[in-house]
Amino acid sequence: MKRIVSISLGSAKRDHQVVREFGGENFLIERIGTDGDKDKAIALIRALDGKVDAFGLGGTDLYIYAGSRRYTFRDTARIAAAARFTPVVDGSGIKNTLERRVIRFLEQKHAMRFAGKKALVVCAVDRFGLAEALAAAGAQTVFGDLMYGLGLPFPLHSLAALERLARFVAPLITLLPTSAFYPTGERQNESRPRYGSYFREADVVAGDFHFIRRYMPPDLAAKTIITNTVTQADEELLRRSGIATLVTTTPEMGGRSFGTNVLEAVLITIAGKRPEDMTAEHYGLLLEEMNIEPRIKALNE
């Protein structure tokens, strides 16, 4: 049996373990949260290095893309460097491939229409493929990177503005500790509603679940959420908020969805390649071969 371990800077309350078959082989998939403790994350990776098939890194990113350039988060690179033998991925390798496919899948297979709909992407720099796909489908998009990432009251309304922001911010933000702009540890369980009007005006709310959970207002009746890393308790929270439809870009595993880092770790293990040798085409082919599709769940009908 293959073994995938996702080491997360998020809350240990979200830990989970499941066995799931991919490509004809069983995978033991574990998520271990360190409550924001980077030294604990490093110690866990060192202890398991060479004993598992791939690591995922959750609750943080290792890379961010701005145009054709890739920037490395200094804080996360220190954690990843603890692995000398086992490959480490953060999910950024498949986000562009996986999340672009989700919008097309929803339109073609489930007759969901985005043209003319209002869509809020809470942090689009981290999910440029999803942002582009929503815009290409005709959605009226608002990108909340400055509002929810940095607390500044400036919505972005175009991909060009988003790309300019990414080119300016990426070299700077990758030097900061993750906790400066992203909820880690117990902060992932806190609710701090912010700029609620953008949530309320949107038909579709998309992006990182921890940003959505932390900043959303309590009433989001009749909206669609496109995200991942959702537990059963999160589903109940969204149901109480009135959310009509939950779409997770990663499939259900043991009653919940994991982050893209877990799915990317599974794919590189199946491919038998190092992360640096994988391309978008490799990921696309594997997703097709394994028939990996998003999860769609009606929460309130």
Side-chain angles (χ1 to χ4, degrees):
M1 181 183 298
K2 302 294 185 183
R3 185 181 178 193
I4 303 295
V5 177
S6 174
I7 305 292
S8 175
L9 293 183
S11 169
K13 292 177 181 174
R14 301 175 67 84
D15 285 356
H16 194 59
Q17 186 180 97
V18 67
V19 174
R20 171 76 184 262
E21 182 267 331
F22 286 100
E25 186 149 22
N26 284 331
F27 282 74
L28 172 60
I29 295 170
E30 302 165 77
R31 187 267 192 197
I32 304 175
T34 64
D35 296 317
D37 188 334
K38 296 165 198 166
D39 291 334
K40 183 176 179 181
I42 290 170
L44 279 167
I45 289 175
R46 283 181 177 152
L48 294 169
D49 188 27
K51 300 173 184 174
V52 302
D53 293 280
F55 288 114
L57 279 182
T60 184
D61 283 324
L62 182 55
Y63 303 114
I64 192 172
Y65 292 84
S68 59
R69 301 194 65 177
R70 186 178 77 173
Y71 297 87
T72 304
F73 282 92
R74 185 168 61 181
D75 217 20
T76 314
R78 188 171 69 89
I79 299 173
R84 297 177 57 199
F85 305 105
T86 301
V88 180
V89 294
D90 69 334
S92 61
I94 64 165
K95 278 180 186 172
N96 262 346
T97 305
L98 179 76
E99 295 183 345
R100 284 179 196 277
R101 291 160 52 98
V102 167
I103 301 303
R104 188 166 64 243
F105 176 88
L106 294 174
E107 288 193 315
Q108 294 177 349
K109 300 285 184 67
H110 292 268
M112 292 178 70
R113 295 291 174 259
F114 296 94
K117 297 286 183 64
K118 293 182 178 179
L120 168 66
V121 184
V122 287
C123 183
V125 165
D126 181 44
R127 285 177 152 81
F128 204 80
L130 180 61
E132 278 194 316
L134 281 167
Q140 299 173 31
T141 48
V142 172
F143 307 123
D145 299 63
L146 290 173
M147 296 189 294
Y148 305 111
L150 300 178
L152 302 174
F154 305 114
L156 301 174
H157 295 279
S158 73
L159 290 169
L162 177 64
E163 190 160 349
R164 284 196 299 273
L165 173 72
R167 288 183 186 279
F168 176 72
V169 167
L172 302 174
I173 205 167
T174 48
L175 300 178
L176 299 174
T178 305
S179 57
F181 51 88
Y182 187 76
T184 59
E186 275 303 304
R187 291 171 65 213
Q188 292 186 343
N189 299 316
E190 296 174 352
S191 174
R192 300 284 179 89
R194 174 190 288 178
Y195 303 117
S197 62
Y198 293 94
F199 279 94
R200 284 188 284 269
E201 290 170 5
D203 301 298
V204 178
V205 177
D208 182 277
F209 183 72
H210 294 300
F211 273 126
I212 294 173
R213 177 193 168 97
R214 184 172 177 81
Y215 297 120
M216 71 182 199
D219 180 10
L220 288 175
K223 302 190 186 305
T224 295
I225 298 282
I226 303 175
T227 186
N228 60 29
T229 325
V230 176
T231 66
Q232 291 181 343
D234 297 329
E235 276 189 30
E236 184 53 37
L237 172 71
L238 295 174
R239 183 178 289 106
R240 290 198 304 271
S241 299
I243 297 292
T245 306
L246 168 67
V247 178
T248 61
T249 60
T250 52
E252 180 173 339
M253 300 184 204
R256 60 173 285 177
S257 68
F258 285 89
T260 50
N261 69 90
V262 168
L263 187 56
E264 186 173 333
V266 169
L267 295 182
I268 66 165
T269 300
I270 290 172
K273 294 178 181 290
R274 298 287 303 183
E276 55 270 25
D277 296 327
M278 294 290 287
T279 65
E281 289 72 25
H282 289 140
Y283 288 122
L285 286 172
L286 285 170
L287 291 170
E288 288 287 343
E289 288 174 8
M290 292 190 294
N291 197 30
I292 290 178
E293 296 181 343
R295 176 177 59 143
I296 303 167
K297 190 165 186 176
L299 300 182
N300 289 283
E301 291 183 314

